[in-house]
Amino acid sequence: MSRQMNQLISIGFRKWCYNASGFNKYGLWRDDLLHENKDVEEALRRLPQEIVDQRNFRIIRAAQLDCNKRLLPEEQWTKYEEDVRYLKPYLDEVIKEREEKEAWEAS
């Protein structure tokens, strides 16, 4: 199989898994679902307030929809292509800083 064909299958499988997970039907993004450990909490603290407000809105809306046993209309579902990893740069920075601190303290 060609490399291009493998990429198409891989992307298709990712989209299928993304849609099968179901969180997108509530309008959530992947980073909204991260388990909030110390690294994630620190990354959230560093986010601009506007992004935090948008995240909180999505989470509260999803909770209300779930309580009412409803989903968003299909045109409002988060699409794979529209999902933004807004927390990843901050989280990567926090993890790198923590690892550097641990290495410094260990030496």
Side-chain angles (χ1 to χ4, degrees):
M1 220 183 281
S2 72
R3 180 183 170 110
Q4 196 173 31
M5 185 63 132
N6 282 339
Q7 285 180 330
L8 287 175
I9 291 171
S10 177
I11 291 171
F13 184 68
R14 286 183 200 163
K15 286 181 181 181
W16 179 84
C17 289
Y18 184 86
N19 289 323
S21 66
F23 66 85
N24 64 320
K25 297 174 184 176
Y26 292 99
L28 293 170
W29 294 357
R30 280 180 285 185
D31 284 357
D32 295 340
L33 303 173
L34 291 176
H35 176 70
E36 291 191 19
N37 58 26
K38 291 185 186 260
D39 292 337
V40 173
E41 288 174 2
E42 177 61 24
L44 287 170
R45 191 185 67 72
R46 296 180 185 191
L47 278 176
Q49 189 60 44
E50 181 181 341
I51 295 175
V52 172
D53 292 342
Q54 292 170 357
R55 177 182 191 270
N56 291 338
F57 172 79
R58 288 190 303 270
I59 291 171
I60 291 170
R61 178 180 61 183
Q64 288 176 336
L65 288 166
D66 189 53
C67 286
N68 293 327
K69 298 182 181 356
R70 297 179 52 205
L71 297 174
L72 286 173
E74 192 167 347
E75 61 271 2
Q76 293 181 17
W77 292 1
T78 306
K79 293 167 187 56
Y80 177 80
E81 298 81 11
E82 297 171 352
D83 196 332
V84 177
R85 300 294 307 264
Y86 63 90
L87 196 57
K88 185 170 178 19
Y90 296 93
L91 188 57
D92 290 344
E93 181 179 315
V94 168
I95 291 170
K96 182 179 176 186
E97 288 173 4
R98 179 181 47 81
E99 289 172 348
E100 286 177 1
K101 182 179 177 186
E102 289 171 356
W104 176 263
E105 291 173 351
S107 60

PDB file of all heavy atoms in Angstrom, residues 45-64:
ATOM      1  N   ARG A  45      -4.425  27.723  34.109  1.00  0.00           N
ATOM      2  CA  ARG A  45      -4.187  28.999  34.782  1.00  0.00           C
ATOM      3  C   ARG A  45      -3.491  29.994  33.858  1.00  0.00           C
ATOM      4  O   ARG A  45      -3.724  31.201  33.927  1.00  0.00           O
ATOM      5  CB  ARG A  45      -3.338  28.764  36.041  1.00  0.00           C
ATOM      6  CG  ARG A  45      -3.240  29.960  36.961  1.00  0.00           C
ATOM      7  CD  ARG A  45      -2.292  29.706  38.110  1.00  0.00           C
ATOM      8  NE  ARG A  45      -0.901  29.565  37.685  1.00  0.00           N
ATOM      9  CZ  ARG A  45      -0.123  30.563  37.262  1.00  0.00           C
ATOM     10  NH1 ARG A  45      -0.612  31.793  37.158  1.00  0.00           N
ATOM     11  NH2 ARG A  45       1.136  30.349  36.910  1.00  0.00           N
ATOM     12  N   ARG A  46      -2.671  29.489  32.938  1.00  0.00           N
ATOM     13  CA  ARG A  46      -1.914  30.348  32.023  1.00  0.00           C
ATOM     14  C   ARG A  46      -2.706  30.768  30.778  1.00  0.00           C
ATOM     15  O   ARG A  46      -2.261  31.633  30.044  1.00  0.00           O
ATOM     16  CB  ARG A  46      -0.644  29.629  31.575  1.00  0.00           C
ATOM     17  CG  ARG A  46       0.319  29.362  32.701  1.00  0.00           C
ATOM     18  CD  ARG A  46       1.539  28.655  32.211  1.00  0.00           C
ATOM     19  NE  ARG A  46       2.422  28.297  33.321  1.00  0.00           N
ATOM     20  CZ  ARG A  46       3.649  27.853  33.170  1.00  0.00           C
ATOM     21  NH1 ARG A  46       4.161  27.694  31.954  1.00  0.00           N
ATOM     22  NH2 ARG A  46       4.385  27.534  34.218  1.00  0.00           N
ATOM     23  N   LEU A  47      -3.846  30.148  30.546  1.00  0.00           N
ATOM     24  CA  LEU A  47      -4.650  30.483  29.366  1.00  0.00           C
ATOM     25  C   LEU A  47      -5.179  31.908  29.451  1.00  0.00           C
ATOM     26  O   LEU A  47      -5.507  32.383  30.544  1.00  0.00           O
ATOM     27  CB  LEU A  47      -5.849  29.549  29.257  1.00  0.00           C
ATOM     28  CG  LEU A  47      -5.676  28.190  28.637  1.00  0.00           C
ATOM     29  CD1 LEU A  47      -6.977  27.407  28.724  1.00  0.00           C
ATOM     30  CD2 LEU A  47      -5.226  28.278  27.203  1.00  0.00           C
ATOM     31  N   PRO A  48      -5.331  32.576  28.317  1.00  0.00           N
ATOM     32  CA  PRO A  48      -6.007  33.883  28.319  1.00  0.00           C
ATOM     33  C   PRO A  48      -7.461  33.726  28.788  1.00  0.00           C
ATOM     34  O   PRO A  48      -8.102  32.703  28.533  1.00  0.00           O
ATOM     35  CB  PRO A  48      -5.960  34.320  26.852  1.00  0.00           C
ATOM     36  CG  PRO A  48      -4.870  33.517  26.234  1.00  0.00           C
ATOM     37  CD  PRO A  48      -4.813  32.228  26.992  1.00  0.00           C
ATOM     38  N   GLN A  49      -7.973  34.732  29.459  1.00  0.00           N
ATOM     39  CA  GLN A  49      -9.307  34.663  30.051  1.00  0.00           C
ATOM     40  C   GLN A  49     -10.395  34.376  29.013  1.00  0.00           C
ATOM     41  O   GLN A  49     -11.343  33.654  29.287  1.00  0.00           O
ATOM     42  CB  GLN A  49      -9.628  35.964  30.807  1.00  0.00           C
ATOM     43  CG  GLN A  49     -10.899  35.883  31.623  1.00  0.00           C
ATOM     44  CD  GLN A  49     -10.854  34.794  32.676  1.00  0.00           C
ATOM     45  OE1 GLN A  49      -9.855  34.642  33.374  1.00  0.00           O
ATOM     46  NE2 GLN A  49     -11.927  34.041  32.797  1.00  0.00           N
ATOM     47  N   GLU A  50     -10.258  34.923  27.833  1.00  0.00           N
ATOM     48  CA  GLU A  50     -11.265  34.696  26.782  1.00  0.00           C
ATOM     49  C   GLU A  50     -11.374  33.206  26.435  1.00  0.00           C
ATOM     50  O   GLU A  50     -12.484  32.678  26.276  1.00  0.00           O
ATOM     51  CB  GLU A  50     -10.905  35.490  25.531  1.00  0.00           C
ATOM     52  CG  GLU A  50     -11.898  35.333  24.396  1.00  0.00           C
ATOM     53  CD  GLU A  50     -11.482  36.111  23.159  1.00  0.00           C
ATOM     54  OE1 GLU A  50     -10.664  37.025  23.254  1.00  0.00           O
ATOM     55  OE2 GLU A  50     -12.008  35.770  22.093  1.00  0.00           O
ATOM     56  N   ILE A  51     -10.253  32.523  26.349  1.00  0.00           N
ATOM     57  CA  ILE A  51     -10.265  31.096  26.021  1.00  0.00           C
ATOM     58  C   ILE A  51     -10.846  30.287  27.183  1.00  0.00           C
ATOM     59  O   ILE A  51     -11.601  29.336  26.975  1.00  0.00           O
ATOM     60  CB  ILE A  51      -8.845  30.610  25.653  1.00  0.00           C
ATOM     61  CG1 ILE A  51      -8.387  31.314  24.373  1.00  0.00           C
ATOM     62  CG2 ILE A  51      -8.809  29.098  25.464  1.00  0.00           C
ATOM     63  CD1 ILE A  51      -6.956  31.019  23.971  1.00  0.00           C
ATOM     64  N   VAL A  52     -10.532  30.690  28.415  1.00  0.00           N
ATOM     65  CA  VAL A  52     -11.091  30.023  29.591  1.00  0.00           C
ATOM     66  C   VAL A  52     -12.611  30.177  29.602  1.00  0.00           C
ATOM     67  O   VAL A  52     -13.342  29.218  29.880  1.00  0.00           O
ATOM     68  CB  VAL A  52     -10.474  30.589  30.891  1.00  0.00           C
ATOM     69  CG1 VAL A  52     -11.181  30.046  32.121  1.00  0.00           C
ATOM     70  CG2 VAL A  52      -8.994  30.278  30.952  1.00  0.00           C
ATOM     71  N   ASP A  53     -13.098  31.374  29.284  1.00  0.00           N
ATOM     72  CA  ASP A  53     -14.546  31.616  29.249  1.00  0.00           C
ATOM     73  C   ASP A  53     -15.228  30.757  28.189  1.00  0.00           C
ATOM     74  O   ASP A  53     -16.299  30.194  28.436  1.00  0.00           O
ATOM     75  CB  ASP A  53     -14.841  33.096  28.988  1.00  0.00           C
ATOM     76  CG  ASP A  53     -14.435  33.985  30.152  1.00  0.00           C
ATOM     77  OD1 ASP A  53     -14.250  33.467  31.280  1.00  0.00           O
ATOM     78  OD2 ASP A  53     -14.292  35.210  29.932  1.00  0.00           O
ATOM     79  N   GLN A  54     -14.620  30.654  27.014  1.00  0.00           N
ATOM     80  CA  GLN A  54     -15.184  29.815  25.955  1.00  0.00           C
ATOM     81  C   GLN A  54     -15.210  28.351  26.389  1.00  0.00           C
ATOM     82  O   GLN A  54     -16.197  27.639  26.158  1.00  0.00           O
ATOM     83  CB  GLN A  54     -14.378  29.961  24.668  1.00  0.00           C
ATOM     84  CG  GLN A  54     -14.488  31.322  24.032  1.00  0.00           C
ATOM     85  CD  GLN A  54     -13.487  31.519  22.901  1.00  0.00           C
ATOM     86  OE1 GLN A  54     -12.663  30.657  22.616  1.00  0.00           O
ATOM     87  NE2 GLN A  54     -13.555  32.683  22.262  1.00  0.00           N
ATOM     88  N   ARG A  55     -14.153  27.887  27.024  1.00  0.00           N
ATOM     89  CA  ARG A  55     -14.075  26.511  27.509  1.00  0.00           C
ATOM     90  C   ARG A  55     -15.166  26.252  28.544  1.00  0.00           C
ATOM     91  O   ARG A  55     -15.867  25.236  28.487  1.00  0.00           O
ATOM     92  CB  ARG A  55     -12.693  26.265  28.129  1.00  0.00           C
ATOM     93  CG  ARG A  55     -12.518  24.892  28.720  1.00  0.00           C
ATOM     94  CD  ARG A  55     -11.123  24.770  29.340  1.00  0.00           C
ATOM     95  NE  ARG A  55     -10.819  23.410  29.694  1.00  0.00           N
ATOM     96  CZ  ARG A  55     -11.091  22.881  30.880  1.00  0.00           C
ATOM     97  NH1 ARG A  55     -11.649  23.605  31.822  1.00  0.00           N
ATOM     98  NH2 ARG A  55     -10.780  21.617  31.119  1.00  0.00           N
ATOM     99  N   ASN A  56     -15.303  27.165  29.505  1.00  0.00           N
ATOM    100  CA  ASN A  56     -16.329  27.015  30.540  1.00  0.00           C
ATOM    101  C   ASN A  56     -17.724  26.980  29.930  1.00  0.00           C
ATOM    102  O   ASN A  56     -18.579  26.201  30.371  1.00  0.00           O
ATOM    103  CB  ASN A  56     -16.211  28.128  31.574  1.00  0.00           C
ATOM    104  CG  ASN A  56     -14.968  27.999  32.425  1.00  0.00           C
ATOM    105  OD1 ASN A  56     -14.388  26.917  32.551  1.00  0.00           O
ATOM    106  ND2 ASN A  56     -14.532  29.109  33.007  1.00  0.00           N
ATOM    107  N   PHE A  57     -17.972  27.822  28.926  1.00  0.00           N
ATOM    108  CA  PHE A  57     -19.271  27.824  28.260  1.00  0.00           C
ATOM    109  C   PHE A  57     -19.558  26.465  27.629  1.00  0.00           C
ATOM    110  O   PHE A  57     -20.651  25.919  27.782  1.00  0.00           O
ATOM    111  CB  PHE A  57     -19.338  28.918  27.188  1.00  0.00           C
ATOM    112  CG  PHE A  57     -20.572  28.842  26.344  1.00  0.00           C
ATOM    113  CD1 PHE A  57     -21.779  29.330  26.812  1.00  0.00           C
ATOM    114  CD2 PHE A  57     -20.535  28.254  25.083  1.00  0.00           C
ATOM    115  CE1 PHE A  57     -22.937  29.241  26.035  1.00  0.00           C
ATOM    116  CE2 PHE A  57     -21.678  28.164  24.305  1.00  0.00           C
ATOM    117  CZ  PHE A  57     -22.874  28.667  24.779  1.00  0.00           C
ATOM    118  N   ARG A  58     -18.562  25.905  26.916  1.00  0.00           N
ATOM    119  CA  ARG A  58     -18.762  24.605  26.265  1.00  0.00           C
ATOM    120  C   ARG A  58     -19.040  23.507  27.287  1.00  0.00           C
ATOM    121  O   ARG A  58     -19.921  22.672  27.086  1.00  0.00           O
ATOM    122  CB  ARG A  58     -17.540  24.235  25.416  1.00  0.00           C
ATOM    123  CG  ARG A  58     -17.395  25.037  24.151  1.00  0.00           C
ATOM    124  CD  ARG A  58     -16.317  24.473  23.246  1.00  0.00           C
ATOM    125  NE  ARG A  58     -15.007  24.380  23.881  1.00  0.00           N
ATOM    126  CZ  ARG A  58     -14.102  25.339  23.870  1.00  0.00           C
ATOM    127  NH1 ARG A  58     -14.358  26.491  23.266  1.00  0.00           N
ATOM    128  NH2 ARG A  58     -12.927  25.173  24.464  1.00  0.00           N
ATOM    129  N   ILE A  59     -18.314  23.533  28.397  1.00  0.00           N
ATOM    130  CA  ILE A  59     -18.482  22.495  29.417  1.00  0.00           C
ATOM    131  C   ILE A  59     -19.843  22.613  30.097  1.00  0.00           C
ATOM    132  O   ILE A  59     -20.537  21.607  30.298  1.00  0.00           O
ATOM    133  CB  ILE A  59     -17.329  22.556  30.439  1.00  0.00           C
ATOM    134  CG1 ILE A  59     -16.019  22.117  29.757  1.00  0.00           C
ATOM    135  CG2 ILE A  59     -17.623  21.688  31.651  1.00  0.00           C
ATOM    136  CD1 ILE A  59     -14.778  22.337  30.593  1.00  0.00           C
ATOM    137  N   ILE A  60     -20.246  23.826  30.443  1.00  0.00           N
ATOM    138  CA  ILE A  60     -21.549  24.026  31.096  1.00  0.00           C
ATOM    139  C   ILE A  60     -22.681  23.661  30.152  1.00  0.00           C
ATOM    140  O   ILE A  60     -23.658  22.998  30.548  1.00  0.00           O
ATOM    141  CB  ILE A  60     -21.682  25.478  31.606  1.00  0.00           C
ATOM    142  CG1 ILE A  60     -20.726  25.688  32.778  1.00  0.00           C
ATOM    143  CG2 ILE A  60     -23.119  25.800  32.011  1.00  0.00           C
ATOM    144  CD1 ILE A  60     -20.580  27.129  33.212  1.00  0.00           C
ATOM    145  N   ARG A  61     -22.573  24.067  28.882  1.00  0.00           N
ATOM    146  CA  ARG A  61     -23.604  23.721  27.901  1.00  0.00           C
ATOM    147  C   ARG A  61     -23.713  22.204  27.747  1.00  0.00           C
ATOM    148  O   ARG A  61     -24.816  21.654  27.715  1.00  0.00           O
ATOM    149  CB  ARG A  61     -23.294  24.370  26.558  1.00  0.00           C
ATOM    150  CG  ARG A  61     -24.299  24.023  25.468  1.00  0.00           C
ATOM    151  CD  ARG A  61     -23.970  24.665  24.151  1.00  0.00           C
ATOM    152  NE  ARG A  61     -22.655  24.212  23.681  1.00  0.00           N
ATOM    153  CZ  ARG A  61     -22.074  24.647  22.576  1.00  0.00           C
ATOM    154  NH1 ARG A  61     -22.663  25.561  21.828  1.00  0.00           N
ATOM    155  NH2 ARG A  61     -20.895  24.196  22.203  1.00  0.00           N
ATOM    156  N   ALA A  62     -22.577  21.526  27.694  1.00  0.00           N
ATOM    157  CA  ALA A  62     -22.578  20.062  27.558  1.00  0.00           C
ATOM    158  C   ALA A  62     -23.223  19.409  28.775  1.00  0.00           C
ATOM    159  O   ALA A  62     -23.987  18.438  28.629  1.00  0.00           O
ATOM    160  CB  ALA A  62     -21.155  19.554  27.368  1.00  0.00           C
ATOM    161  N   ALA A  63     -22.945  19.924  29.966  1.00  0.00           N
ATOM    162  CA  ALA A  63     -23.543  19.365  31.182  1.00  0.00           C
ATOM    163  C   ALA A  63     -25.060  19.550  31.174  1.00  0.00           C
ATOM    164  O   ALA A  63     -25.802  18.625  31.537  1.00  0.00           O
ATOM    165  CB  ALA A  63     -22.925  20.017  32.412  1.00  0.00           C
ATOM    166  N   GLN A  64     -25.514  20.722  30.742  1.00  0.00           N
ATOM    167  CA  GLN A  64     -26.956  20.970  30.680  1.00  0.00           C
ATOM    168  C   GLN A  64     -27.629  20.064  29.651  1.00  0.00           C
ATOM    169  O   GLN A  64     -28.699  19.506  29.903  1.00  0.00           O
ATOM    170  CB  GLN A  64     -27.236  22.432  30.347  1.00  0.00           C
ATOM    171  CG  GLN A  64     -26.926  23.370  31.478  1.00  0.00           C
ATOM    172  CD  GLN A  64     -27.112  24.825  31.096  1.00  0.00           C
ATOM    173  OE1 GLN A  64     -27.037  25.188  29.922  1.00  0.00           O
ATOM    174  NE2 GLN A  64     -27.344  25.665  32.090  1.00  0.00           N
TER     175      GLN A  64
END
